[in-house]
Amino acid sequence: MPQLVEIENLKNSPTVFVIFGATGDLARKKIFPSFFELSKNNLLPEKFKIIAAARSQFTNDSFTESLKETITYKDKNDWQKFVSFIEYVACDVAENQNLETLKKTLDDFEKDAKACTQRVLYMSISPFIYDKAFENVGQSKLNLGCDIHGKKARIVIEKPFGHDLKSALSLNDKLTKYFDESEIYRIDHFLGKETVQNIFAFRFGNEIFEPVWNNKYIDHVQITMAEYVGVEKRGDYYDKAGALRDVIQNHLLQLMSLVTMEQPDKFDHDSIRQRKLEILQSINKMTPDVVSNSTVRGQYEGYRQEEKVDNDSLTETYALTKLHIENERWQGVPFYLRTGKKLTGKVTSIIFSFKERKHKLFENFYDKPMPNHVTLQIQPNEGIGIRLVAKKPGLTTSIEPVDMEFCYRTSFDAPQPDAYERLLMDIMVGDQTLFIGQVAESWKIIDPIEEVWQNQKTKPEVYKTGSWGPESADKLIKKDNREWLAPLLTICKI
Ligand code: NAD
């Protein structure tokens, strides 16, 4: 993780970002607004440039004017400083058009800066053109850094990285032809969220959790990412991906490995990546029988009528998988990972449900089981909750569940930076801790499920918008004598 001194040193480290796909949804909604915040807070290097690269024709002025749709500012000076960093270059990285102009712009910046700059290529483009783009970047020598010191460029890649193991490996071969692993930043923006980073502090900074963080005490774990919105304008991408690939393969498996890994030797990216890898390698790879009993696929009502979605689409907008980690600590503990669009609300949480122990002393005072829970709420209302039982005040003895909460909003009087601000800073200082390493292991978990689902050739179970997903998801967990806990345990409500 970057130290204060590294952030200070960054000021004297000339840097240039090329944002391929600068006119796209992600660039407008996240990347440029995050750069604006960093610029406003004086966190960018003194010699800094953003080359906005996309196919449309824009002048610098018309491009920066268009960014006002997603960036609001109070002080005109902040805005002017920010736009002074940006230069628009029309080019097509997939068709290798005008990349020489881009290269010249990079070289000119270096000449003006009279320094060897750190070059960063940010691929905010459709994942379907990654392979062509990597090849063209390499052929055009954009992967090389400035000529003076031979410093190499860094490359940033958005999810998804491949759509199965085979395509991910082939993509990786193309990428590593031109970039070393130490220059590759695969983004999972979840890892940039404060609450996700806090998982390290929570697990390894508090002695009280380690002794109970295992199969002796924990009954099961629920990891949920529920979205209120549907596919919106991303129908063409989403319809080819589906919920399992779009969310479980990356975000939820990353969260699962962070909350279950053994303590790393050091707080650096090699040690953390190694620990996460050990978990991913220990997760069960499902046989077709297990897929039938341990997964659910659903599609929200009206999905087939969405823009750019196939009328006969069999793509799932809801996915549930019950996984196991086959190691000593977690053997026998089911992990329910579920995600869906157009559900009741927006929440991402990890809930550890502890084994219920009937305490002889209180057995007459319970109406129903009241196990302890630990909830890590990633979004919204970020925080941590612990459900305990307590005696209800009064003359009779009755035991009721109560929640102890730590809420970011009230505990820290500081704004939380957007995940992308954090990740952009890390890329600039060269810290890969919060980026994904090789993705092969997670595809090995997902591929057997996809294979069975593809062979089914049936429509996923339809669920009502605004519900908690298909009925089969409820049946699956009830069969295990358990119930869904989110949103029962949603914490830090306003
Ligand atoms: P988008 O379709 O809105 O934008 C893609 C951009 O790439 C556009 O600017 C387009 O003009 C440009 N482009 C397309 N072909 C090009 C080419 N040949 N040469 C140069 N530019 C080209 O897509 P998006 O939603 O912004 O997504 C970008 C990437 O980020 C994708 O990999 C996506 O999976 C990932 N991502 C997006 C989001 C999101 O919220 N939008 C979230 C997570 C990850």
Side-chain angles (χ1 to χ4, degrees):
M1 304 271 176
Q3 308 294 311
L4 209 55
V5 58
E6 289 177 283
I7 294 176
E8 277 304 313
N9 289 345
L10 187 62
K11 288 249 156 49
N12 303 318
S13 173
T15 304
V16 54
F17 265 78
V18 181
I19 316 281
F20 289 105
T23 55
D25 185 65
L26 183 77
R28 281 170 181 284
K29 280 206 230 143
K30 289 289 178 190
I31 304 172
F32 283 103
S34 297
F35 272 127
F36 174 73
E37 287 303 315
L38 295 176
S39 160
K40 194 173 83 183
N41 296 317
N42 293 319
L43 289 166
L44 294 175
E46 274 155 23
K47 291 179 179 169
F48 183 70
K49 188 176 189 79
I50 303 174
I51 302 177
R55 289 169 304 173
S56 318
Q57 294 297 330
F58 276 105
T59 61
N60 284 346
D61 284 349
S62 60
F63 178 72
T64 51
E65 195 58 28
S66 73
L67 291 179
K68 284 185 179 166
E69 282 167 27
T70 52
I71 301 175
T72 43
Y73 59 90
K74 286 193 191 121
D75 187 337
K76 219 175 158 193
N77 292 327
D78 288 339
W79 178 252
Q80 267 156 359
K81 176 177 160 199
F82 171 63
V83 298
S84 73
F85 292 134
I86 301 175
E87 180 166 345
Y88 187 84
V89 174
C91 62
D92 191 330
V93 68
E95 299 306 324
N96 203 350
Q97 281 169 12
N98 218 21
L99 295 185
E100 60 292 343
T101 309
L102 189 67
K103 178 107 177 30
K104 186 171 178 315
T105 314
L106 283 166
D107 294 341
D108 287 350
F109 175 61
E110 252 147 35
K111 272 186 211 137
D112 291 349
K114 296 190 179 56
C116 187
T117 59
Q118 177 59 61
R119 298 178 179 188
V120 185
L121 311 175
Y122 196 132
M123 313 308 277
S124 181
I125 51 175
S126 161
F128 304 114
I129 56 171
Y130 278 168
D131 50 354
K132 282 190 192 169
F134 297 160
E135 194 58 43
N136 290 334
V137 158
Q139 293 293 327
S140 317
K141 301 201 180 341
L142 287 167
N143 59 324
L144 304 179
C146 67
D147 294 337
I148 315 166
H149 295 109
K151 205 173 186 175
K152 278 200 164 180
R154 293 178 186 149
I155 187 162
V156 185
I157 301 133
E158 278 289 340
K159 67 149 209 190
F161 194 82
H163 61 271
D164 56 15
L165 178 62
K166 197 169 159 223
S167 59
L169 291 177
S170 142
L171 213 50
N172 212 50
D173 284 348
K174 292 200 171 111
L175 188 58
T176 48
K177 203 165 134 192
Y178 298 110
F179 295 90
D180 293 340
E181 189 59 36
S182 62
E183 291 143 3
I184 302 172
Y185 292 73
R186 296 181 196 83
I187 286 207
D188 183 331
H189 72 273
F190 256 55
L191 303 186
K193 289 179 186 289
E194 280 291 339
T195 31
V196 175
Q197 293 162 51
N198 188 43
I199 290 172
F200 293 113
F202 171 79
R203 282 201 56 204
F204 304 124
N206 295 300
E207 283 304 304
I208 55 171
F209 295 112
E210 179 57 22
V212 295
W213 216 244
N214 54 52
N215 54 6
K216 191 167 170 212
Y217 293 94
I218 291 173
D219 174 69
H220 75 282
V221 182
Q222 297 184 15
I223 307 184
T224 301
M225 179 179 152
E227 290 182 280
Y228 183 69
V229 295
V231 288
E232 298 183 300
K233 294 198 165 124
R234 302 182 70 217
D236 54 347
Y237 155 70
Y238 194 87
D239 205 35
K240 292 187 198 95
L244 185 66
R245 289 190 179 111
D246 189 48
V247 175
I248 296 189
Q249 183 269 334
N250 37 66
H251 303 321
L252 299 199
L253 285 177
Q254 285 294 316
L255 288 182
M256 179 171 167
S257 55
L258 282 177
V259 295
T260 54
M261 70 184 189
E262 298 300 316
Q263 184 156 345
D265 298 336
K266 281 195 242 146
F267 206 40
D268 64 17
H269 72 269
D270 281 345
S271 316
I272 292 173
R273 275 185 184 182
Q274 178 54 31
R275 289 305 194 202
K276 286 200 293 181
L277 186 66
E278 286 163 11
I279 289 293
L280 293 170
Q281 285 171 337
S282 322
I283 293 176
N284 63 313
K285 315 294 178 285
M286 291 188 195
T287 58
D289 279 358
V290 178
V291 174
S292 311
N293 295 325
S294 305
T295 68
V296 172
R297 55 197 271 267
Q299 191 183 80
Y300 65 77
E301 221 170 34
Y303 171 70
R304 289 175 167 191
Q305 282 73 55
E306 296 275 23
E307 209 180 306
K308 297 189 184 159
V309 165
D310 193 340
N311 288 338
D312 303 320
S313 175
L314 301 181
T315 301
E316 80 286 354
T317 60
Y318 177 99
L320 158 64
T321 60
K322 183 170 84 169
L323 298 171
H324 286 91
I325 300 173
E326 286 156 358
N327 68 12
E328 210 179 316
R329 187 190 280 262
W330 296 110
Q331 194 78 46
V333 177
F335 287 76
Y336 299 91
L337 275 59
R338 61 176 180 157
T339 182
K341 288 194 176 285
K342 290 238 174 170
L343 298 182
T344 311
K346 175 178 167 158
V347 66
T348 302
S349 65
I350 307 159
I351 302 174
F352 288 83
S353 183
F354 281 70
K355 289 188 174 161
E356 205 213 338
R357 269 159 229 277
K358 274 262 174 199
H359 291 285
K360 253 193 160 349
L361 195 58
F362 299 117
E363 66 189 354
N364 296 332
F365 309 125
Y366 282 91
D367 288 339
K368 58 173 193 155
M370 289 182 209
N372 297 124
H373 300 296
V374 171
T375 300
L376 307 179
Q377 193 154 295
I378 309 299
Q379 61 182 10
N381 311 332
E382 294 82 350
I384 295 172
I386 302 183
R387 178 157 283 196
L388 310 164
V389 290
K391 180 192 168 300
K392 193 176 169 188
L395 298 178
T396 58
T397 303
S398 101
I399 304 285
E400 297 230 331
V402 288
D403 289 321
M404 267 172 54
E405 293 181 340
F406 146 68
C407 304
Y408 265 84
R409 198 183 54 247
T410 47
S411 296
F412 294 110
D413 188 20
Q416 286 185 45
D418 186 88
Y420 275 88
E421 287 173 48
R422 169 63 202 248
L423 296 174
L424 290 172
M425 285 301 286
D426 286 4
I427 294 163
M428 285 190 275
V429 300
D431 188 322
Q432 292 179 304
T433 312
L434 299 179
F435 295 81
I436 308 180
Q438 301 289 353
V439 294
E441 286 308 321
S442 38
W443 283 119
K444 285 184 197 164
I445 300 161
I446 297 301
D447 276 5
I449 306 174
E450 277 295 346
E451 203 178 312
V452 174
W453 285 5
Q454 300 294 331
N455 288 340
Q456 281 172 349
K457 295 203 174 15
T458 50
K459 188 176 175 182
E461 186 177 331
V462 174
Y463 60 94
K464 288 202 179 323
T465 62
S467 70
W468 271 100
E471 279 175 19
S472 300
D474 295 339
K475 285 189 194 145
L476 187 146
I477 200 159
K478 273 196 190 127
K479 209 169 68 192
D480 295 349
N481 289 323
R482 300 186 175 104
E483 60 174 342
W484 293 118
L485 297 167
L488 287 180
L489 300 179
T490 303
I491 57 162
C492 299
K493 293 174 199 138
I494 300 169

